[in-house]
Amino acid sequence: MIDNKYTLPLVPLRGLIVFPGMALHFDVGRPRSIDAVEAAMQKNKLIFLCYQNDFLVESPVKSDLAEIGTICEIRQILRLPDGSIRILVEGKSRASINDFEDLGKYIQVNVTKLDDINSDDDTYTQILIRKIQRLTEDYLELYDKASPEAISALLAIDDPGEMTDVIISNIPIKPALKQTVLDKVNVLERMEQLITIMSEEIDLLDIEKSVMDQVQENLDNNQRDYVLREKLKVIQEELGEGEENDSDIKKYRESIKDRNLPKEVMDKLNDEFSRLTKTPPHSQEYAVIQGYIETIIALPWDITGDETLDIKAAKTQLDRDHYGLDKVKERVLEYIAVSKLTNKVNGNILCLVGPPGTGKTSIVSSLAKSIGRKYIRLSLGGVHNESEIRGHRKTYVGAMPGRIIDAIKRANVNNPVILLDEIDKMTKDISGDPTSAMLEVLDPEQNKSFRDNYIELPFDLSNVMFIASANSLENIPRPLLDRMDIIEVSGYTEDEKLNIAKKYLIQKQRKNNGLTSHNLNITDSGIKEIINGYTRESGVRNLERAISKVCRKVAVKVAEDNDFYISVTRKNLNEFLGKKIYNDSSIEKKDSVGIVNGLAWTEVGGETLSVEVNIMDGTGKLELTGNLGDVMKESAKAGYSFIRSNSYKFGIKSDFYKNYDLHIHIPEGAIPKDGPSAGITMATAMISALTGKPVKHDVAMTGEITLRGKVLPIGGLKEKTLAALRIGIKKVIIPFENKADYEELPDIVKNNIEFIFAKNMVDVLENALTKPFKPSLPVKKSGNNLLPLDNELYIKNDISNVTIAKL
């Protein structure tokens, strides 16, 4: 059995009726009504809307309300600057009030859902439908503000009850008349009531049209304007609408009286005020104009927030909030210094790029705090429509400004710090590319007159300090990237994570969970165990989650015994976090043939990967497995071609590609892998397998390979070397051209790992293979001797160890 009883929060409506199947925006200003909306959002989003007979009553009781209202679902909430809220509701069904309970903060009602009572008399029903259709056509001829296409679509609705509701909701008449239709549960009675109302409206419109035609014939343009205005004024006074219009306009003019708005903005507002005076207050168009005017007034056209460009204070604030990140802090302070000396926002847009959890978002918040500017975070992850940046034209239903203008409105100053978070996560679809809109936002030469589609006025964004953040640069279009100054935010070393945990995270989580140092202490060994055994990452986000979990476990004990105290160490950590997720060093314990340690960069930090190569009798096939991307496969093929063309130098049979199959595999096949930096790793593994020479188990490498055996530079060196350090690698081979990046590596990495700077594959093999590598040079005949030829592989041209063969 279907339950038709509902207990719902009540919002009394003044001057407004909501019908089932109708979607409508309206403002909620009374505190008790706002609380009712909040209560509905916390439950099932259902709310009961009912017409208030006397709109002057501030706190209505049951007798002040209509007996029948509408059960509605809240679709959207927008909080307005004055404390009121704007909601979008969708009517679900009629319902009658059974019980009326005042809960103090809001009114709760028990209602019974009312289903339409349909007639079995199909003939009479069809007669009424045709009558409504004819009346609608007559109405459209007289009332030119209604859209014929919209009404035609409404008439195509099959259900007569639904058709009646939708038509009456679109006719601009007094709410009390609309309530008489809402009261009709019987569909035939509802249709008859609609016919009565429409017939009267058509008669009035017909009389008005005749008057207008006669007046227009006898008056010139100036007299016509005067008479129409006087006529409109009299009509509005008779209907009680003119005072409401004047009151709203007076309120708006009062709010901008002392403001210094640009001339173009004032001209636009005056035009909208004029439109508002000519629009009936109960029409949807009136609400649209109101919303637009309120948005324009709420924007801080002439409001500039205070700022303090104090380098010492900014440095103190950044050091207080963040440990490490010296390069990032240095660049941020340079940015502030230039802004101070030029008295304007630095034209360069900063973009912080790095793995998650490394402090990109929080350092921007600290920057805003240090210079005294308002801070607004704008999440761009998942934005796929240009209109979300530029806004929608106000002619569309439910139109609103774009995210940029909305952020300015929320900041209430025209010079906030806006963080464009996850700018690399924007996508595009058939509705447009949001990155193209961001080009104008981030260009100092264009954003002085940024035009949002909704406000249709130029807004000066040149005072806004835009800072972007991203995990990777790969997905950011080149034109957008060119407008930003990239700052790399690298991952943290173990020592940095230890200090961050001790100075920030443990204190923060103890406070969040109601603990003190008298309840919980986490030793250095315990923190290191969390870092290495539970939360291997570049940032500290998972580290903070793990510490929070420990705090929650302790909080349970403290709740039972206020004097409870525990010191968490490496030995008892598993009591709080369970079994370790990551085991200790996973490198091979002995040198192996065809197995090489590679280094990779991911959006969450550096990783080590093991490249395995097996050789089998076959026909020369090269098999690549491990969920490899196209670039990585091409890199493997480049290494394979290099080996084939130089096989005689490595002591490999020149026809090996005819008689053997090579299988290259990178474990953890469920994880996608791509990029060229594993080129020398795969080439070394293939040479080791083909020559039978083992590769040192404590050596790792990274670098791109060319067909000539040269080693090209790579990115993400810090993250890769930190991963190597974590698993106990003693020697890392990197491209020679990455020597400058080596200088910026943390001391803990440089002190514990030996670095080899390789220019070509000879350098790689000499340091990776366990047996001495002495390549055989290509030779040419000269008398009775074979003399070595020059080759690009030997950059040093050192042939002192090569024996000249005699014929």
Side-chain angles (χ1 to χ4, degrees):
M1 180 178 178
I2 299 176
D3 187 6
N4 289 330
K5 302 287 187 180
Y6 293 84
T7 301
L8 302 172
L10 168 71
V11 172
L13 299 179
R14 295 190 282 195
L16 186 66
I17 301 290
V18 178
F19 285 84
M22 178 183 179
L24 182 66
H25 275 102
F26 63 90
D27 293 349
V28 180
R30 287 186 280 188
R32 300 183 77 189
S33 297
I34 293 174
D35 288 337
V37 173
E38 299 287 359
M41 291 300 295
Q42 292 176 8
K43 294 180 181 178
N44 52 11
K45 298 184 180 180
L46 293 180
I47 196 164
F48 187 69
L49 303 182
C50 187
Y51 178 63
Q52 180 179 325
N53 297 321
D54 185 357
F55 68 88
L56 295 177
V57 177
E58 189 63 25
S59 299
V61 295
K62 186 176 181 181
S63 59
D64 296 322
L65 304 175
E67 294 182 0
I68 294 179
T70 308
I71 298 173
C72 297
E73 182 178 3
I74 301 173
R75 292 292 189 182
Q76 187 183 65
I77 288 183
L78 177 64
R79 302 187 185 280
L80 301 177
D82 60 359
S84 63
I85 59 175
R86 178 167 298 162
I87 64 173
L88 172 63
V89 298
E90 181 182 353
K92 293 298 183 182
S93 63
R94 285 172 169 80
S96 61
I97 300 176
N98 301 327
D99 248 341
F100 184 95
E101 184 180 1
D102 192 340
L103 299 182
K105 293 185 70 176
Y106 63 92
I107 298 172
Q108 178 176 281
V109 292
N110 183 275
V111 299
T112 301
K113 178 183 174 184
L114 302 175
D115 294 323
D116 286 351
I117 301 174
N118 293 298
S119 172
D120 294 330
D121 191 348
D122 291 336
T123 302
Y124 185 61
T125 300
Q126 290 301 318
I127 291 173
L128 294 180
I129 289 174
R130 292 186 179 183
K131 177 65 174 177
I132 290 173
Q133 289 174 340
R134 287 194 297 270
L135 288 173
T136 303
E137 291 173 357
D138 295 338
Y139 184 87
L140 289 175
E141 290 180 3
L142 297 169
Y143 188 73
D144 56 3
K145 293 184 180 180
S147 168
E149 293 80 13
I151 299 296
S152 299
L154 299 178
L155 293 177
I157 299 174
D158 295 328
D159 185 84
E162 181 183 354
M163 180 187 71
T164 305
D165 286 345
V166 175
I167 290 176
I168 190 65
S169 66
N170 282 277
I171 297 177
I173 57 175
K174 291 183 178 180
L177 283 176
K178 291 188 177 184
Q179 181 64 38
T180 62
V181 177
L182 186 66
D183 290 339
K184 306 297 183 185
V185 179
N186 186 297
V187 175
L188 287 182
E189 294 177 1
R190 191 185 309 166
M191 296 170 71
E192 290 169 348
Q193 181 66 16
L194 175 63
I195 290 171
T196 301
I197 292 172
M198 290 193 69
S199 298
E200 293 175 356
E201 282 296 305
I202 289 171
D203 291 339
L204 290 173
L205 289 173
D206 189 51
I207 294 171
E208 183 179 358
K209 187 175 185 301
S210 300
V211 172
M212 293 293 293
D213 291 341
Q214 183 178 358
V215 170
Q216 189 161 353
E217 289 176 1
N218 299 320
L219 298 175
D220 60 7
N221 290 336
N222 292 333
Q223 290 174 320
R224 175 177 172 274
D225 290 343
Y226 174 78
V227 172
L228 285 176
R229 290 187 184 280
E230 290 299 313
K231 182 171 180 285
L232 179 61
K233 184 177 179 180
V234 171
I235 293 174
Q236 287 178 337
E237 289 176 355
E238 290 295 324
L239 295 176
E241 296 174 349
E243 294 179 1
E244 186 173 344
N245 288 31
D246 292 341
S247 174
D248 287 338
I249 294 172
K250 183 179 180 181
K251 179 182 69 174
Y252 295 141
R253 290 193 182 278
E254 186 68 24
S255 66
I256 62 175
K257 181 177 64 175
D258 298 326
R259 294 183 60 181
N260 185 26
L261 299 181
K263 182 179 182 301
E264 190 172 355
V265 175
M266 282 304 305
D267 291 343
K268 184 68 174 177
L269 284 175
N270 289 329
D271 290 343
E272 295 300 319
F273 291 157
S274 177
R275 287 183 60 201
L276 200 64
T277 60
K278 303 173 184 177
T279 307
H282 304 303
S283 68
Q284 290 185 354
E285 180 67 15
Y286 191 89
V288 170
I289 299 172
Q290 264 193 321
Y292 178 75
I293 291 174
E294 289 170 1
T295 299
I296 298 298
I297 293 175
L299 286 174
W301 303 92
D302 55 336
I303 305 174
T304 301
D306 296 331
E307 66 175 349
T308 306
L309 296 176
D310 187 334
I311 300 296
K312 291 183 178 179
K315 186 177 187 304
T316 302
Q317 182 73 46
L318 293 174
D319 289 338
R320 183 190 305 125
D321 294 345
H322 296 84
Y323 181 85
L325 300 176
D326 294 333
K327 293 288 184 182
V328 180
K329 292 177 183 177
E330 181 183 345
R331 182 63 186 87
V332 169
L333 292 176
E334 292 171 359
Y335 187 86
I336 296 174
V338 173
S339 298
K340 179 178 181 179
L341 296 177
T342 58
N343 291 321
K344 62 181 181 179
V345 174
N346 192 340
N348 293 334
I349 308 298
L350 299 184
C351 180
L352 306 179
V353 180
T358 50
K360 298 186 297 297
T361 301
S362 60
I363 203 167
V364 178
S365 175
S366 295
L367 166 63
K369 191 186 303 181
S370 67
I371 62 177
R373 285 200 183 196
K374 288 284 189 70
Y375 167 68
I376 298 291
R377 176 180 170 270
L378 192 60
S379 178
L380 298 178
V383 172
H384 57 85
N385 191 324
E386 183 183 355
S387 296
E388 295 192 50
I389 304 298
R390 288 191 186 277
H392 303 78
R393 298 197 178 279
K394 65 177 184 290
T395 52
Y396 295 120
V397 176
M400 61 182 64
R403 296 194 179 208
I404 300 297
I405 292 298
D406 181 65
I408 299 290
K409 181 181 173 184
R410 285 187 285 129
N412 200 33
V413 291
N414 59 22
N415 64 335
V417 175
I418 296 182
L419 171 62
L420 304 173
D421 204 11
E422 308 286 1
I423 198 171
D424 58 325
K425 302 298 191 301
M426 288 192 299
T427 58
K428 60 181 178 180
D429 61 11
I430 57 174
S431 301
D433 185 358
T435 58
S436 61
M438 291 302 298
L439 293 177
E440 181 183 356
V441 173
L442 300 183
D443 191 335
E445 300 301 323
Q446 299 182 50
N447 64 13
K448 294 178 181 178
S449 57
F450 175 74
R451 282 186 178 269
D452 185 274
N453 289 332
Y454 180 80
I455 66 173
E456 297 176 341
L457 292 166
F459 193 93
D460 186 359
L461 298 178
S462 61
N463 292 323
V464 179
M465 185 180 288
F466 288 105
I467 301 179
S469 74
N471 295 134
S472 171
L473 299 179
E474 294 180 3
N475 298 324
I476 303 178
R478 178 58 59 183
L480 187 58
L481 202 59
D482 287 342
R483 283 166 168 77
M484 299 187 293
D485 190 357
I486 305 302
I487 302 177
E488 292 190 6
V489 184
S490 302
Y492 296 110
T493 64
E494 180 182 322
D495 183 62
E496 288 174 331
K497 291 181 182 179
L498 175 64
N499 280 281
I500 291 171
K502 290 169 64 177
K503 295 182 179 180
Y504 304 98
L505 303 184
I506 294 177
Q507 296 179 22
K508 176 183 175 183
Q509 290 305 320
R510 275 198 301 227
K511 182 179 179 181
N512 289 347
N513 290 277
L515 303 176
T516 66
S517 58
H518 299 294
N519 303 126
L520 170 66
N521 175 54
I522 304 179
T523 64
D524 288 3
S525 65
I527 298 172
K528 289 180 179 179
E529 184 69 5
I530 296 175
I531 293 170
N532 295 315
Y534 294 88
T535 63
R536 288 185 182 174
E537 55 177 340
S538 291
V540 292
R541 189 167 291 160
N542 289 327
L543 174 59
E544 183 174 5
R545 290 194 184 107
I547 293 173
S548 176
K549 185 175 181 180
V550 172
C551 291
R552 291 196 302 271
K553 297 283 187 183
V554 174
V556 175
K557 301 291 186 182
V558 174
E560 297 173 353
D561 179 7
N562 290 333
D563 297 327
F564 181 83
Y565 170 80
I566 190 169
S567 179
V568 178
T569 66
R570 180 175 183 176
K571 294 181 179 179
N572 63 0
L573 184 62
N574 62 339
E575 298 176 14
F576 300 92
L577 297 181
K579 184 180 178 183
K580 281 202 303 185
I581 299 173
Y582 305 101
N583 295 319
D584 294 333
S585 176
S586 59
I587 63 172
E588 295 286 335
K589 300 301 182 184
K590 61 179 182 179
D591 303 335
S592 304
V593 174
I595 299 179
V596 183
N597 295 313
L599 301 175
W601 179 91
T602 69
E603 289 189 359
V604 294
E607 292 289 344
T608 57
L609 48 84
S610 179
V611 177
E612 303 175 348
V613 174
N614 270 358
I615 300 178
M616 302 152 285
D617 292 336
T619 58
K621 291 189 296 183
L622 178 62
E623 188 76 21
L624 301 167
T625 57
N627 202 352
L628 310 184
D630 291 339
V631 176
M632 202 167 191
K633 290 178 180 179
E634 291 173 359
S635 188
K637 292 174 183 177
Y640 185 68
S641 295
F642 164 73
I643 295 170
R644 281 187 57 183
S645 64
N646 295 275
S647 58
Y648 56 88
K649 303 169 189 173
F650 305 120
I652 300 171
K653 293 181 180 180
S654 60
D655 61 349
F656 77 92
Y657 65 91
K658 295 180 181 179
N659 303 318
Y660 300 102
D661 290 344
L662 265 71
H663 186 164
I664 301 176
H665 177 68
I666 301 180
E668 299 186 30
I671 301 175
K673 309 169 189 72
D674 203 3
S677 62
I680 65 171
T681 311
M682 292 185 287
T684 301
M686 286 188 280
I687 291 173
S688 171
L690 289 167
T691 61
K693 295 180 179 181
V695 179
K696 296 175 184 177
H697 70 282
D698 58 353
V699 171
M701 60 187 69
T702 178
E704 182 179 353
I705 189 174
T706 70
L707 289 175
R708 295 291 185 270
K710 290 183 179 180
V711 181
L712 300 183
I714 47 83
L717 184 62
K718 180 180 178 181
E719 285 76 12
K720 292 178 179 180
T721 52
L722 286 174
L725 177 67
R726 188 169 60 232
I727 68 168
I729 294 294
K730 301 300 182 185
K731 182 185 290 186
V732 172
I733 302 172
I734 64 174
F736 184 84
E737 295 181 39
N738 281 109
K739 202 166 186 177
D741 299 320
Y742 163 81
E743 300 297 335
E744 297 185 1
L745 291 178
D747 291 337
I748 190 173
V749 175
K750 293 190 283 189
N751 294 338
N752 289 277
I753 296 178
E754 177 188 355
F755 283 84
I756 304 298
F757 303 101
K759 293 183 177 179
N760 50 57
M761 278 302 297
V762 172
D763 296 335
V764 175
L765 297 173
E766 284 179 346
N767 290 279
L769 300 181
T770 56
K771 297 180 181 179
F773 176 72
K774 293 183 179 180
S776 301
L777 288 175
V779 295
K780 63 182 178 180
K781 186 175 180 181
S782 176
N784 291 328
N785 294 331
L786 293 177
L787 298 179
L789 287 169
D790 292 333
N791 190 282
E792 289 187 22
L793 183 63
Y794 303 93
I795 296 175
K796 297 176 182 178
N797 199 23
D798 182 4
I799 59 174
S800 59
N801 294 326
V802 178
T803 302
I804 298 177
K806 292 185 178 181
L807 292 174

